[in-house]
Amino acid sequence: MDKKALRKRIAEQKRAMTPEQIEAASQRLAERLFQTDAYQNALSIYGYLSYNQEIRTLPILRRAMIDGKRVAVPKVYGDEMRFIWMDDLSLVAPGYYDIPEPIADGPVADDELALMLMPGLAFDPEGHRVGYGGGFYDRYLAAHPDHKLVALCYGFQLVDHLDCEAHDIPVHRVIPDEETRAVSLPDLAGSAR
């Protein structure tokens, strides 16, 4: 399945989810993340502020702060993305494509070993991902290669295999929510995974 068709299929499945399903899956995934060595050993978390039907990251970032970790979230400047340290996660406004971003332009996060939560539309067991098409994370990670990369996703976002390109940077661990593995839509029932 090509990326365009895959993006369409995943987007349709995400839109079919109820707010209750999204919250429940997000809570299950947060608990699984908190149990990982990657989370427990991290001094800092580079997260993203969820948008539309993405896994809810705000509770994860708040918990990280309570756990004594520094938290940073991305802000887009033209073709570049920077992570900004956050002390107050409410100080955000719609930014690039209306995705929530920090209002402030600094301080710029500087923990090259931070655990990074990776957004994406689809992932495979080897950690390859299909993003939203902007290339921001691939460019950022090419310049900052030492982050530990973890993706949290609905079960239906995990596919058997994704073709990757030379510039694609795989995540180190994908944590899928198995309870959302089979969101069925009548027109997608025959789609290959």
Side-chain angles (χ1 to χ4, degrees), residues 13-14 27 45 49 64 68-69 71 73-74 78 88-89 97 100-101 110 115 130 145 147 151 158 167 180-181 189:
Q13 289 181 300
K14 285 171 71 176
Q27 288 175 10
I45 306 290
L49 297 169
K69 301 177 189 303
V71 168
V73 296
D88 183 344
L89 292 166
Y97 273 90
E101 293 183 344
D110 57 357
L115 172 63
V130 171
H147 291 286
L158 185 66
H167 66 271
T180 52
R181 185 75 171 134

Side-chain angles (χ1 to χ4, degrees), residues 153-159 176-182 193:
C153 66
Y154 303 114
F156 60 78
Q157 290 179 279
L158 185 66
V159 299
D177 176 54
E178 291 304 325
E179 291 189 38
T180 52
R181 185 75 171 134
R193 279 212 176 283

Side-chain angles (χ1 to χ4, degrees), residues 159-179:
V159 299
D160 292 335
H161 173 75
L162 291 171
D163 291 328
C164 61
E165 299 173 26
H167 66 271
D168 291 337
I169 297 172
V171 301
H172 299 108
R173 182 166 181 192
V174 179
I175 303 175
D177 176 54
E178 291 304 325
E179 291 189 38

Side-chain angles (χ1 to χ4, degrees), residues 122-149:
F123 303 90
D124 72 13
E126 287 76 43
H128 302 120
R129 66 185 271 277
V130 171
Y132 294 93
F136 291 102
Y137 279 84
D138 288 324
R139 287 191 295 276
Y140 181 86
L141 291 169
H144 305 273
D146 296 326
H147 291 286
K148 180 73 173 170
L149 310 177

